[in-house]
Amino acid sequence: MKKFVLIFSLILISSRSFSLDLFSFRGLDFYTSATGSMHSSSPGETKICADSGFKLRLSNAVGIFSIGFPNIRLPDFPPKFAQISDWPSFDSFFDLRYGFSVNIAPKIFPVGVKIMVGTLEFGGGLSRLRSPNLSTSSALKVFTPPAFGAEASLPAFDSGEKPFALSVKVFPSAENVFFPVAEFSATCDNNFFASVHKVFSLPFVQSAGASLNFASTVYGDCGTSSWFFDDRPFLTERFFSCGMEIFMFFPAAKFFVCAAGSQSPFGGFSPWIRMNVSIPIGHFSVNTAFYIGDGELVAASGKRSGSWIQAQINPVCGFDVGKAKLDMGLLFQGDIKSGSGLFVDYVLRWDGSMEIGCVDLDASASYRHLGLDGGWLFSCGTDFLFRGKSFSSGASISCRTDEKKSELSFSGTFSPKDSPVKSVGAGFSGSIRDGKFLSPRAELSLGIKKQWKFVSLNAQLLFRLDF
């Protein structure tokens, strides 16, 4: 809480040090959400999760504060005696998310500075150092320039609690485009990240960029009490990671290469390389990706990669059929991993999207084979959206099954236009095992959004009932 008071004290100090135009008022956004869950078979197990906060928007600065109560248990009725040991600790009773961002770019200086403090979120090149493996999240990928640096951002109203962090970004002004961008980030748990990157243009090249990244993080897994280990344990120490990223977009092909390595807890340095190539051919494009690394690589997040080689091919096509716009993609990925020996996982995924006038229809299906134990996982789903003049409505159905059980879920939403009611929704989910329907759950949701001249209110309410 003291850090939050310090952050917003900077607003008052800065407003006296700079002109009013630099920190003039732009708006104030309020947010609140609540999720209540109740078990019909256990009336006493009623819990509420709540988040509430506000965002102050200035001309060159943004401040945000949010408090969350992740697990509030309502009193039993009739009341029961609870031991002190059953009470939640004060630290786990609530989560705080807060941050302040200021952007200073005077015209008289060749560079500008963006400073962010608070419980920040990071991505970009830092996320690739933390998790270098390929993703199979979608087969309808659009190959875009990568986000360089740490991509620091203020926390969302309902994001999880993160450590206090500082991020400083120095960027060139419009008149000094040859200067690179430099970033430095640090967290209160002694993790550091630095990056120097630049996006530029070259003859016969649509776009190009290069980045150098450095990370210093503290992690270890020596605290377990298990007698047996799936992986070799190591002491909690400081480890270093570094990498170089380059992308070049030509009219006939797009390339992205990331070569990096991390200091190994077992001695030496564990290198890895990742490459993405996209070749457009009319209405078609073929995306390929490769990853080669040490199977015992421990990334900057402290987690083991486990993959020696990953290869991915992803053809995508998009075309018009009459008034309909259709996009389809097929993705196949093979993954050679290490365990008691070498084994192969593979994933096959299909995604499709169709737009006909005011109707959108999305569908997906994926199959994953686990080479270690021969297990498998199949999932599929479809989303429907109708966009009318006075309202929009949608429905979603998904299924997930393996050799042990199946999970089913469906939901629907209704969103009127020009109304404080943002959306009304309902859903149902459950699992099936050995011919029995287990863990059924029903959900009802209500979203409210109201905009005034300088103030907005966004509220989300959700009620869950477990049978």
Side-chain angles (χ1 to χ4, degrees):
M1 192 66 181
K2 293 181 180 179
K3 295 176 181 177
F4 167 72
V5 175
L6 175 62
I7 290 172
F8 279 89
S9 296
L10 293 175
I11 301 178
L12 300 178
I13 298 174
S14 301
S15 62
R16 296 186 179 185
S17 303
F18 299 91
S19 65
L20 293 177
D21 292 338
L22 187 59
F23 292 112
S24 58
F25 180 74
R26 287 293 184 267
L28 187 62
D29 303 325
F30 291 95
Y31 174 87
T32 185
S33 69
T35 300
S37 60
M38 184 174 66
H39 295 262
S40 61
S41 58
S42 302
E45 297 184 12
T46 302
K47 299 179 181 179
I48 294 178
C49 301
D51 299 283
S52 185
F54 67 90
K55 179 186 291 185
L56 174 64
R57 293 181 285 110
L58 306 177
S59 54
N60 289 279
V62 177
I64 186 171
F65 174 79
S66 175
I67 183 170
F69 300 93
N71 194 5
I72 303 175
R73 179 172 176 175
L74 298 184
D76 295 334
F77 185 83
K80 299 178 181 179
F81 176 77
Q83 298 179 359
I84 295 179
S85 59
D86 296 332
W87 296 357
S89 63
F90 181 77
D91 293 338
S92 62
F93 187 69
F94 62 88
D95 296 333
L96 289 179
R97 310 119 188 174
Y98 51 88
F100 178 65
S101 171
V102 59
N103 193 357
I104 305 175
K107 296 182 179 180
I108 60 175
F109 293 124
V111 296
V113 179
K114 184 175 183 179
I115 302 175
M116 305 181 72
V117 291
T119 56
L120 307 180
E121 299 181 356
F122 298 98
L126 176 58
S127 66
R128 287 183 285 273
L129 284 181
R130 293 175 59 86
S131 180
N133 297 110
L134 303 180
S135 170
T136 58
S137 58
S138 174
L140 292 176
K141 294 182 178 179
V142 179
F143 203 86
T144 58
F148 283 152
E151 280 293 293
S153 61
L154 296 178
F157 286 114
D158 54 355
S159 62
E161 190 173 26
K162 294 179 175 59
F164 179 81
L166 165 70
S167 176
V168 179
K169 181 178 181 180
V170 180
F171 54 91
S173 62
E175 293 78 13
N176 297 274
V177 294
F178 295 102
F179 282 28
V181 178
E183 290 185 63
F184 173 79
S185 302
T187 63
C188 66
D189 52 358
N190 295 321
N191 292 328
F192 305 94
F193 176 78
S195 174
V196 178
H197 51 89
K198 179 63 181 174
V199 176
F200 48 86
S201 59
L202 295 172
F204 310 106
V205 178
Q206 294 176 332
S207 181
S211 174
L212 293 175
N213 304 315
F214 305 90
S216 174
T217 53
V218 178
Y219 53 81
D221 61 2
C222 60
T224 179
S225 59
S226 174
W227 284 92
F228 302 98
F229 302 94
D230 294 331
D231 298 300
R232 288 188 290 167
F234 55 92
L235 297 176
T236 300
E237 294 181 0
R238 179 173 298 279
F239 301 97
F240 297 90
S241 302
C242 61
M244 178 182 65
E245 299 178 327
I246 298 175
F247 80 87
M248 300 185 73
F249 283 11
F250 298 91
K254 302 176 181 179
F255 300 89
F256 170 63
V257 179
C258 180
S262 298
Q263 184 181 2
S264 174
F266 314 113
F269 212 71
S270 298
W272 57 269
I273 185 170
R274 171 177 164 178
M275 176 181 291
N276 296 73
V277 180
S278 178
I279 301 176
I281 308 173
H283 294 285
F284 297 85
S285 65
V286 179
N287 304 322
T288 58
F290 305 93
Y291 167 86
I292 302 176
D294 186 350
E296 292 192 350
L297 166 70
V298 180
S301 61
K303 297 181 180 179
R304 287 174 169 82
S305 168
S307 297
W308 289 89
I309 300 175
Q310 290 180 308
Q312 186 180 107
I313 184 168
N314 174 209
V316 182
C317 64
F319 46 88
D320 298 331
V321 180
K323 297 182 178 180
K325 181 180 180 182
L326 182 63
D327 296 304
M328 289 191 298
L330 185 66
L331 184 148
F332 176 80
Q333 175 176 306
D335 191 347
I336 301 178
K337 292 188 173 183
S338 61
S340 55
L342 292 179
F343 59 94
V344 179
D345 286 353
Y346 63 85
V347 178
L348 180 63
R349 180 183 178 105
W350 173 86
D351 283 271
S353 176
M354 183 172 61
E355 179 180 342
I356 306 176
C358 57
V359 175
D360 296 340
L361 182 63
D362 299 323
S364 65
S366 67
Y367 175 82
R368 179 176 182 180
H369 175 79
L370 306 177
L372 180 61
D373 54 7
W376 55 272
L377 175 65
F378 174 79
S379 62
C380 62
T382 181
D383 296 307
F384 169 84
L385 176 64
F386 172 78
R387 295 173 278 105
K389 295 182 179 180
S390 59
F391 70 93
S392 63
S393 61
S396 176
I397 303 174
S398 65
C399 172
R400 176 187 173 98
T401 182
D402 56 26
E403 65 272 18
K404 296 181 180 180
K405 67 176 182 178
S406 299
E407 299 177 359
L408 303 172
S409 66
F410 63 88
S411 61
T413 58
F414 176 81
S415 303
K417 296 183 179 179
D418 301 326
S419 171
V421 177
K422 182 180 178 181
S423 63
V424 179
F428 186 83
S429 63
S431 59
I432 300 174
R433 184 196 295 264
D434 298 329
K436 297 180 180 180
F437 196 71
L438 306 174
S439 305
R441 166 181 286 182
E443 295 184 350
L444 294 175
S445 63
L446 173 65
I448 299 174
K449 188 172 184 179
K450 182 65 175 178
Q451 178 71 50
W452 293 276
K453 185 175 182 181
F454 293 107
V455 179
S456 68
L457 173 64
N458 191 353
Q460 304 288 334
L461 303 176
L462 176 65
F463 175 74
R464 292 173 177 164
L465 178 61
D466 295 322
F467 299 92

